[in-house]
Amino acid sequence: MRPLDRLRSFKVKLGVLVAVSVCVAVVLTWLSLAADMHPLLTLPLVVIAALVVTQILARGMTSPLRQMTSAARAMARGDYSQRIETSSRDEVGELADAFTRMATELQTTDTVRRDLVANVSHELRTPVAGLRAQLENIVDGVTEPDPAALEVALTETERLSDLVDDLLDLSRIDAGVIDIDLEEFALTPFLHEAVDAADMGARARGRDLRWAIEVEPADLTATADAPRIRQVIANLLDNASRHSPPDGRVRVRAERTTRDDGVLIQVRDEGPGIARADRERVFERFQHGGGSDGSGGTGLGLAIARWAVELHGGTIEVIDDPRPRTDPDRSSVIRLTLPDMPR
Ligand SMILES: Nc1ncnc2c1ncn2[C@@H]1O[C@H](COP(=O)(O)OP(=O)(O)OP(=O)(O)O)[C@@H](O)[C@H]1O
Ligand SMILES: [Mg+2]
């Protein structure tokens, strides 16, 4: 703690400084006059004494400013690690605190940006490499350009375009562009279509899953942006089918929410589920629950799903599994709610 650190205003600090220096000068002049000292000797003595007092009292008053200058230079070079250390409580101290908060914020943003670039390039590399290998084989005559070979190339291209779509969605999220087009649709045919599409995808991966759809009441409708919600359900079903045991059952249930006349859709599979500690993390971008789980996803699906549902004012979360499980901490029940939206 420095002498004037306790004062909350820079102006008051300066005032104290001036007052103390003046007092010291006056007292010294008075003493030297009383001691009959020559004025030519008194003057430098008084000036030196006033300077010493100023030095002592002003210690640390501007050091946060110097630290900030050096930190700002470091930030310009991309180093966000410098922190401003100060115990001062005046405006300079507040500025130093704000500066430190800004540096922390910038450091986080920078890390997220780096991670994003690294993740995106990594995710793009896999389908591009597959596509390239397949096309090279065809050009070199190693593979015949028959429908089967082209099918492989097409699958990789589809993966690429899905990924690009997801990335576009992410940039829309960041840009805050909100476009939802509300319509009322019946959930029974909607969920059947979604399940049919998911079943085709699962079969293409050699999985013969059982699907159960319950809509209560059967003519239940939702008012929402149907294509966006279809994308959300498609991702939930895709996740469920990828984490299910090969002959597992995936249940989709829709009902009216008791509180606000909205709808609630729940997807549950018989796979290992998501650990309690990962329940929030799986909704972050590029998060593959529990490390690499071999499901081969990008980790964008649930992040985009949460954004789409929240755009509707709804919620999406992993909820406790009502069935007895070997590990009660894990759950594969995802519940989304959509509030009743006036059109
Ligand atoms: N039904 C589920 N059972 C077990 N784990 C799941 C389930 N759904 C999601 N997860 C976990 O949550 C993670 C994030 O899911 P998300 O849908 O966001 O990404 P992804 O499926 O890995 O990739 P993408 O959907 O972008 O192709 C998954 O990697 C997986 O670890
Ligand atoms: Mg997914």
Side-chain angles (χ1 to χ4, degrees):
M1 208 62 173
R2 288 161 177 134
L4 297 182
D5 269 359
R6 242 184 278 273
L7 299 179
R8 287 180 178 275
S9 154
F10 197 73
K11 256 198 224 159
V12 173
K13 274 188 184 179
L14 280 183
V16 170
L17 202 66
V18 171
V20 173
S21 309
V22 168
C23 289
V24 167
V26 167
V27 168
L28 270 183
T29 316
W30 182 60
L31 283 179
S32 57
L33 284 179
D36 261 347
M37 253 167 86
H38 195 277
L40 276 183
L41 201 63
T42 311
L43 187 66
L45 195 76
V46 168
V47 169
I48 290 173
L51 284 178
V52 169
V53 169
T54 309
Q55 256 316 311
I56 296 173
L57 286 186
R59 235 180 71 226
M61 248 163 86
T62 50
S63 81
L65 295 174
R66 276 193 300 281
Q67 288 182 47
M68 276 185 264
T69 312
S70 113
R73 292 211 175 101
M75 277 158 76
R77 291 192 305 271
D79 169 13
Y80 296 93
S81 60
Q82 290 196 19
R83 294 287 173 267
I84 319 294
E85 315 248 334
T86 174
S87 47
S88 154
R89 295 204 205 141
D90 63 357
E91 292 87 348
V92 175
E94 278 172 21
L95 178 65
D97 286 345
F99 191 92
T100 302
R101 272 201 300 281
M102 178 188 76
T104 318
E105 201 69 26
L106 282 175
Q107 189 170 27
T108 318
T109 316
D110 195 54
T111 317
V112 168
R113 184 185 59 79
R114 278 170 209 264
D115 286 356
L116 194 73
V117 172
N119 280 322
V120 167
S121 2
H122 178 82
E123 296 300 336
L124 287 174
R125 204 173 55 189
T126 320
V128 170
L131 188 60
R132 179 176 175 172
Q134 185 68 354
L135 292 178
E136 273 174 359
N137 284 346
I138 293 175
V139 171
D140 293 347
V142 181
T143 312
E144 284 295 310
D146 54 9
L150 292 176
E151 184 85 25
V152 176
L154 181 65
T155 312
E156 296 296 352
T157 315
E158 279 166 356
R159 263 183 81 182
L160 261 180
S161 76
D162 285 351
L163 191 61
V164 171
D165 285 347
D166 280 357
L167 291 173
L168 276 177
D169 269 345
L170 282 190
S171 67
R172 276 194 205 111
I173 301 176
D174 292 338
V177 184
I178 303 169
D179 49 343
I180 53 171
D181 206 353
L182 296 181
E183 59 183 292
E184 189 173 11
F185 53 91
L187 280 164
T188 307
F190 179 83
L191 291 178
H192 272 96
E193 271 171 39
V195 162
D196 287 348
D199 188 44
M200 247 164 56
R203 277 181 204 284
R205 284 197 299 272
R207 298 185 141 224
D208 191 10
L209 300 173
R210 288 168 297 149
W211 304 86
I213 303 175
E214 291 168 53
V215 181
E216 184 58 44
D219 61 353
L220 184 64
T221 61
T223 305
D225 187 319
R228 287 238 170 268
I229 300 303
R230 183 172 301 122
Q231 184 192 9
V232 172
I233 304 289
N235 179 59
L236 294 184
L237 296 178
D238 177 61
N239 285 350
S241 78
R242 275 200 272 185
H243 295 95
S244 281
D247 58 346
R249 182 197 295 271
V250 179
R251 290 169 188 276
V252 187
R253 187 177 161 75
E255 62 193 79
R256 199 166 283 296
T257 49
T258 37
R259 267 192 304 122
D260 55 1
D261 253 8
V263 292
L264 174 164
I265 303 174
Q266 203 160 288
V267 176
R268 173 200 297 181
D269 64 68
E270 293 173 342
I274 297 168
R276 193 175 293 278
D278 290 332
R279 283 189 185 185
E280 272 308 306
R281 212 166 56 80
V282 291
F283 290 98
E284 289 167 20
R285 298 171 187 188
F286 295 107
Q287 285 300 332
H288 311 253
S292 109
D293 58 2
S295 67
T298 319
L300 291 179
L302 288 179
I304 292 173
R306 176 160 274 182
W307 165 68
V309 171
E310 284 178 355
L311 219 51
H312 287 79
T315 57
I316 178 163
E317 59 196 332
V318 182
I319 58 162
D320 285 338
D321 200 331
R323 294 172 308 160
R325 296 183 66 111
T326 37
D327 183 350
D329 241 15
R330 302 185 76 89
S331 166
S332 44
V333 189
I334 317 269
R335 167 185 290 177
L336 78 87
T337 60
L338 295 172
D340 181 33
M341 296 265 261
R343 261 197 301 163

